[in-house]
Amino acid sequence: MNMLARTSGASLTSDGEPPAGAPRTRGLLARWLGLALETHISLPLFALALLGAMWFGTLHVIESERRAAVVAARDATQELLDTYEAQLARSLSAIDQTLRVLKYAVEQNGPTGALPALEAKGLLPPGLVFQVEISDASGHIVASNPASKRHDLARTAWFAFHRQTSDDVPFVSLTSLSDYSKEPTVHFSRRINDAAGHFSGVAVVALDPAYFTSGYERSRQGDRGLLGMAGTDGMLRALRVGETVSWGQRFVPGAHGGVAAGTSARGAPVLASEARTVASRPMNSFPLVAVAGLSDAEQMADFYQDRRAWLLGAGAASALLIAVVILVSAWSWQLAKARRRERLAQETYAAASEASPDAFFVLRTVFGPRGEVRDFVVATTNSRAERFTSLTKQQMAAKPISGLLPPSISQSVFDDLSAVARDGIARETEWQAQTLPQPGVWLHRQAVAVEDGVVVIVRDITERKVGEQRIRHLAHHDDLTGLPNRSLLRERLGQAIVTAAEAGRAVGLAFIDLDGFKLVNDTLGHNAGDELLKVVGARMHRCLRSDDTLARFGGDEFVILLPDLAGDPMAIAPLLERVREAVTEPVLVEGQEVQVSCSVGVTFYPRDGASANALMMHADVAMYRAKELGSNNVQYYVSEMNESVDEKLVLLEGLRAAIDTCAEDYAGPCQFQLLYQPKIDLRTNCLFGVEALIRWHHPEQGLVSPLRFIGLAEESGLIVPIGDWVLRTACAQAQQWRTAGLPPVSVSVNVSARQFEDKRLVERVADALRASGLPADGLEVEVTESLIMRDLGRSIDKMRELEAMGVALSIDDFGTGYSSLSALKSFPISRLKIDKSFVADLADSPDDQAIAMAVISLGHKLDLRVIAEGVETEQQRDFLRANDCDEMQGYLFSRPLPASDIACLLAGSAGDAHAPCAQ
């Protein structure tokens, strides 16, 4: 009793309570036990045990049958050996008796008379089976039956055995091919003594080894059974496997069926390596062993068939059981999953509804006597619903919604919920609250039909509404300047046209493009350009009326919409002039003062167009006319301006056709031509290089100035193929001059902004040099400083690639951009070119003289050569020479010349700039 008390007390705490871990352990056990009782788990376990038992029984039966088959094979082999031993014993007894009779006949009648005596008495064995021979003491055959060729036995194993052994024992030779008959033969022999007991010869009986295995029965032993006669020395004298008789194998019981490799009766090799049940037994009268065997494959064939049937049956039963278990388990698993999902959904709903920012109302439908929806009663809600309604769950429970909703929305909500309850189709609504939860809040209501009622989800969407308004603002306004974008502009322009048409008023539209913005953006960077756009946009906006619209159309383009104009539309001229003046005021950008102007094109509705597209197009045309007239002015659209647009389109089409005429496969002449303007060394007066300049011979308009088509080609992108043609043609021409034996000169090629930004520029230059054969130092690439400053890092990288090839680089129009001196020192260039705008007034303008001297001094300090372009007077040349300018080009020496004239200059001058040349 005390022990029981102590044992029970060991599982309790000092307070008499179970340990804290005990409930947890019991809970885990209960959980695992419940899981194990699930059908999709217990059924596979039971099926696994059933499969194990079934396969154990099947394999046990198969093993029992295998053992029985092995025992039966052994018994059959033993029975076969008994039969074969008896047959072999009779054959050997007959042979031994024949040998004894021969020996006795020789002793009585002499060697030569023995066989006739035996034949007379009918005791001579048949010659078809037995070869009988008698030899004398020297081994010579003295008598044989059937008669055979005389041969000597002195070297045979059996003759040597009997001559050396006085015992009267028989000898059995190994099977061998007969020397005279070439047939396999086994020799049985006995010693013959004379009257004094001395060796006087040998009596021999020779037989075919097949004689000893003739008792082979296919019906009993099958196709691969075994019968054989082996000597005690382990060598088989005769062996038959199926229909094949062989000999000479070594008999090794238990190894490869008991028989090693040997030779068949026809000399073909036999490999008796098949597994067999083999039995052997020594013979009494001869040193021989009887061997019998049965093929395991044949003896076990029935067993193998039965085993296959057992395995197939067990496999089929297993597959069927597995299929049934899988189907039942899958069904059970799906059912368990559904139960878990339902339980999880209930738990999740309870947790989610409490944690959700949405208010949930589960309502039960109240029907009237005729089945109509009379009201809805609150079944349950969540905590969020309490905050939305300022009522507790208990206060709302079982209350009709007609008494809970504000009168302003009660009817609309009831109608919505009634429709959901009737047709089961979910409905959503958004509205702005007037009272609950607080005025001005945007709410979203979703009503979904459920069994016996409706679930209503109410969500506060105020933040989303504010975000949508923000998105709408961003979609219709420029993110840099905050001004309306082209989408909002077109919308307002359309509305203004409709309003003006109804009221008989006018609409003004001004298209504004900033002059010089590209230069600021390229030289000072995009950040500076963005800041300039914001400042200019704010200035223009301050000049407008309250109902006017200033929109950023894209890049440096702005559009002003002036709606509801009355009287003379030209009355807006002062306003546009204020805008133009505001734009031209200097702007401080990143510590540097810059100044831009604007070109303005103006059009009016309905005078210049009845649609928004027409007004936009005509305002654009007027703006381009303002640019053509020198920029920084206002132009009002007139119909004649379209002619200028048409002219540009015709010129653009002609440019495309001209490019095609310069293709290698084009049969006609190329419309483009290169002229070359010589470049002179001011110290030596020698011609050291030329600059390639393009000209266009239009088939209808004649010679077209580069000023007309280069800008157009740059805008359209055609400058890239044109520039590629210039590069290839100039390189090829320079190489032709060298091939003709003329003094080598370098050729300079201008690279446009589009070409320089092309990723394949370096590759195109390398291709042009490779195709022409011109050395890299024979080419100079000219780029403008404003082009380099667009993307300084990438420009320097590309210039270094060209420098690495050996191509020289120079900066064209130096002094017209905004490049910094710190950037200039990093340029991999060899030459600075003073722009012709500084050279034109060099003789009279102190400012231009100061700039030219500064550029020359700067270039020399940076170890660069300086060349001045546009030199047309001797005064300009003298000033440049006096101030150590290195090189010049211009009409003072020569206008741009065709290639043939340059060749003439080179041939006649040999470097002297003033040598005569025939024109």
mmCIF file of all heavy atoms in Angstrom, residues 5 50 84 105 244 263 336 472 595 619 679 775 865 881 903:
data_model
loop_
_atom_site.group_PDB
_atom_site.id
_atom_site.type_symbol
_atom_site.label_atom_id
_atom_site.label_comp_id
_atom_site.label_asym_id
_atom_site.label_seq_id
_atom_site.Cartn_x
_atom_site.Cartn_y
_atom_site.Cartn_z
ATOM 1 N N ALA A 5 1.370 4.095 -2.873
ATOM 2 C CA ALA A 5 1.256 5.527 -2.585
ATOM 3 C C ALA A 5 2.476 6.275 -3.094
ATOM 4 O O ALA A 5 2.379 7.341 -3.671
ATOM 5 C CB ALA A 5 1.068 5.745 -1.078
ATOM 6 N N LEU A 50 -0.219 -5.965 -45.382
ATOM 7 C CA LEU A 50 -0.826 -7.033 -46.168
ATOM 8 C C LEU A 50 0.071 -7.436 -47.337
ATOM 9 O O LEU A 50 0.242 -8.616 -47.636
ATOM 10 C CB LEU A 50 -2.197 -6.574 -46.672
ATOM 11 C CG LEU A 50 -3.030 -7.628 -47.424
ATOM 12 C CD1 LEU A 50 -3.310 -8.827 -46.527
ATOM 13 C CD2 LEU A 50 -4.341 -7.021 -47.907
ATOM 14 N N TYR A 84 23.187 -45.900 -65.947
ATOM 15 C CA TYR A 84 24.366 -45.801 -66.815
ATOM 16 C C TYR A 84 25.494 -46.674 -66.277
ATOM 17 O O TYR A 84 26.254 -47.291 -67.023
ATOM 18 C CB TYR A 84 24.812 -44.349 -66.907
ATOM 19 C CG TYR A 84 26.024 -44.136 -67.785
ATOM 20 C CD1 TYR A 84 26.018 -44.575 -69.115
ATOM 21 C CD2 TYR A 84 27.177 -43.545 -67.288
ATOM 22 C CE1 TYR A 84 27.137 -44.387 -69.908
ATOM 23 C CE2 TYR A 84 28.284 -43.351 -68.080
ATOM 24 C CZ TYR A 84 28.264 -43.790 -69.401
ATOM 25 O OH TYR A 84 29.374 -43.616 -70.192
ATOM 26 N N ALA A 105 44.132 -67.321 -75.713
ATOM 27 C CA ALA A 105 44.337 -67.878 -77.057
ATOM 28 C C ALA A 105 45.774 -67.704 -77.497
ATOM 29 O O ALA A 105 46.344 -68.575 -78.169
ATOM 30 C CB ALA A 105 43.405 -67.191 -78.043
ATOM 31 N N THR A 244 26.155 -34.333 -79.026
ATOM 32 C CA THR A 244 27.587 -34.114 -79.229
ATOM 33 C C THR A 244 28.392 -35.063 -78.348
ATOM 34 O O THR A 244 28.188 -35.129 -77.138
ATOM 35 C CB THR A 244 27.959 -32.666 -78.891
ATOM 36 O OG1 THR A 244 27.164 -31.796 -79.678
ATOM 37 C CG2 THR A 244 29.424 -32.401 -79.176
ATOM 38 N N THR A 263 37.187 -31.504 -76.450
ATOM 39 C CA THR A 263 37.078 -31.549 -77.906
ATOM 40 C C THR A 263 35.992 -32.524 -78.293
ATOM 41 O O THR A 263 35.868 -33.605 -77.733
ATOM 42 C CB THR A 263 38.410 -31.985 -78.533
ATOM 43 O OG1 THR A 263 39.429 -31.126 -78.051
ATOM 44 C CG2 THR A 263 38.349 -31.888 -80.040
ATOM 45 N N ALA A 336 -10.201 14.663 -46.200
ATOM 46 C CA ALA A 336 -9.545 15.238 -45.017
ATOM 47 C C ALA A 336 -9.103 16.665 -45.294
ATOM 48 O O ALA A 336 -9.206 17.547 -44.433
ATOM 49 C CB ALA A 336 -8.354 14.374 -44.610
ATOM 50 N N ARG A 472 -4.094 60.725 -61.700
ATOM 51 C CA ARG A 472 -4.692 61.489 -62.797
ATOM 52 C C ARG A 472 -3.925 62.784 -63.043
ATOM 53 O O ARG A 472 -3.726 63.215 -64.181
ATOM 54 C CB ARG A 472 -6.166 61.778 -62.481
ATOM 55 C CG ARG A 472 -7.097 60.612 -62.747
ATOM 56 C CD ARG A 472 -8.543 61.058 -62.785
ATOM 57 N NE ARG A 472 -8.978 61.584 -61.503
ATOM 58 C CZ ARG A 472 -9.509 60.849 -60.526
ATOM 59 N NH1 ARG A 472 -9.659 59.546 -60.710
ATOM 60 N NH2 ARG A 472 -9.890 61.401 -59.395
ATOM 61 N N GLN A 595 21.585 82.419 -71.267
ATOM 62 C CA GLN A 595 20.470 83.176 -71.834
ATOM 63 C C GLN A 595 19.955 82.425 -73.052
ATOM 64 O O GLN A 595 20.732 81.974 -73.895
ATOM 65 C CB GLN A 595 20.912 84.583 -72.229
ATOM 66 C CG GLN A 595 19.761 85.469 -72.687
ATOM 67 C CD GLN A 595 20.219 86.906 -72.921
ATOM 68 O OE1 GLN A 595 21.409 87.195 -72.969
ATOM 69 N NE2 GLN A 595 19.255 87.818 -73.041
ATOM 70 N N ALA A 619 0.392 75.858 -86.064
ATOM 71 C CA ALA A 619 1.217 76.575 -85.088
ATOM 72 C C ALA A 619 2.661 76.105 -85.168
ATOM 73 O O ALA A 619 3.604 76.906 -85.042
ATOM 74 C CB ALA A 619 0.663 76.371 -83.684
ATOM 75 N N LYS A 679 44.628 72.867 -96.467
ATOM 76 C CA LYS A 679 45.045 73.421 -95.186
ATOM 77 C C LYS A 679 46.545 73.685 -95.267
ATOM 78 O O LYS A 679 47.321 72.811 -95.675
ATOM 79 C CB LYS A 679 44.713 72.459 -94.036
ATOM 80 C CG LYS A 679 43.217 72.233 -93.882
ATOM 81 C CD LYS A 679 42.854 71.565 -92.574
ATOM 82 C CE LYS A 679 43.297 70.126 -92.522
ATOM 83 N NZ LYS A 679 42.797 69.434 -91.298
ATOM 84 N N PRO A 775 46.503 54.572 -94.255
ATOM 85 C CA PRO A 775 47.007 54.458 -92.875
ATOM 86 C C PRO A 775 46.170 55.328 -91.940
ATOM 87 O O PRO A 775 45.624 56.365 -92.340
ATOM 88 C CB PRO A 775 48.448 54.963 -92.977
ATOM 89 C CG PRO A 775 48.811 54.865 -94.419
ATOM 90 C CD PRO A 775 47.543 55.061 -95.187
ATOM 91 N N ARG A 865 48.260 71.826 -81.837
ATOM 92 C CA ARG A 865 48.396 72.730 -82.975
ATOM 93 C C ARG A 865 47.078 73.479 -83.139
ATOM 94 O O ARG A 865 45.994 72.958 -82.847
ATOM 95 C CB ARG A 865 48.739 71.956 -84.247
ATOM 96 C CG ARG A 865 50.120 71.309 -84.182
ATOM 97 C CD ARG A 865 50.503 70.681 -85.508
ATOM 98 N NE ARG A 865 50.700 71.651 -86.562
ATOM 99 C CZ ARG A 865 51.814 72.356 -86.739
ATOM 100 N NH1 ARG A 865 52.837 72.221 -85.911
ATOM 101 N NH2 ARG A 865 51.918 73.224 -87.747
ATOM 102 N N ARG A 881 49.777 84.762 -88.326
ATOM 103 C CA ARG A 881 51.182 84.360 -88.401
ATOM 104 C C ARG A 881 51.985 85.093 -87.329
ATOM 105 O O ARG A 881 52.874 84.503 -86.686
ATOM 106 C CB ARG A 881 51.715 84.660 -89.787
ATOM 107 C CG ARG A 881 53.185 84.257 -89.987
ATOM 108 C CD ARG A 881 53.615 84.539 -91.415
ATOM 109 N NE ARG A 881 52.988 83.606 -92.333
ATOM 110 C CZ ARG A 881 52.972 83.772 -93.665
ATOM 111 N NH1 ARG A 881 53.504 84.871 -94.202
ATOM 112 N NH2 ARG A 881 52.408 82.880 -94.452
ATOM 113 N N ALA A 903 44.923 66.950 -106.732
ATOM 114 C CA ALA A 903 46.023 66.144 -107.273
ATOM 115 C C ALA A 903 46.967 67.012 -108.077
ATOM 116 O O ALA A 903 48.196 66.856 -108.022
ATOM 117 C CB ALA A 903 45.461 65.009 -108.120
#
